[in-house]
Amino acid sequence: LAQGRAMTAFHLLMTKCARRVSPGELKLPLALSAEDGRRLHKVAKSVALYNLLNEGVVSSAVCLLELCSLETEMLRVDVQAAKRIYEHNAQKGGEDVDRPRAAAASVIELFLSFPDIEDATHRTPEA
């Protein structure tokens, strides 16, 4: 996933899922358990944020979640917000060569500290 290869990651995930079910029972979209969905979302979020400036990797993380029919809006918004905060902090640094690295580290740490996604696909809207 960190190499921008969503389909390779999806194939690996399908292979692991196929081992858990009887032959012929594996259907698309993958029916991941709520816990597996949360873990996959956490991994995708981490990969996307650590590769914040690499559009291919971020797109790959989002694509993998979409292939698994998981919610992607929160990740897409978080990445865009983190990127803008990073750019703002990096510009404030002036000539300091370590400033962009420090800005990236602080933004990544901030966004990774946010609570993980709940099972948003199964939430019922409140009236």
Side-chain angles (χ1 to χ4, degrees), residues 10-27 30 32:
F10 185 66
H11 176 73
L12 180 64
L13 185 61
M14 281 182 45
T15 303
K16 287 185 177 191
C17 288
R19 290 181 189 157
R20 295 185 203 163
V21 296
S22 302
E25 285 186 29
L26 186 63
K27 296 178 184 165
L30 291 178
L32 297 175

Side-chain angles (χ1 to χ4, degrees), residues 67-87:
L67 285 168
C68 296
S69 301
L70 296 174
E71 190 272 336
T72 62
E73 184 177 10
M74 187 181 300
L75 177 60
R76 288 184 281 121
V77 169
D78 282 353
V79 167
Q80 288 301 315
K83 198 180 294 185
R84 283 177 177 65
I85 293 169
Y86 162 77
E87 289 168 354

Side-chain angles (χ1 to χ4, degrees), residues 1-2 5 10 13 16 40 43 47 49 71 75 82 85 89 106 113-114 117:
L1 194 57
R5 296 180 177 163
F10 185 66
L13 185 61
K16 287 185 177 191
L40 183 59
V43 168
V47 168
L49 287 171
E71 190 272 336
L75 177 60
I85 293 169
N89 288 344
S106 66
S113 71
F114 292 163
I117 185 171

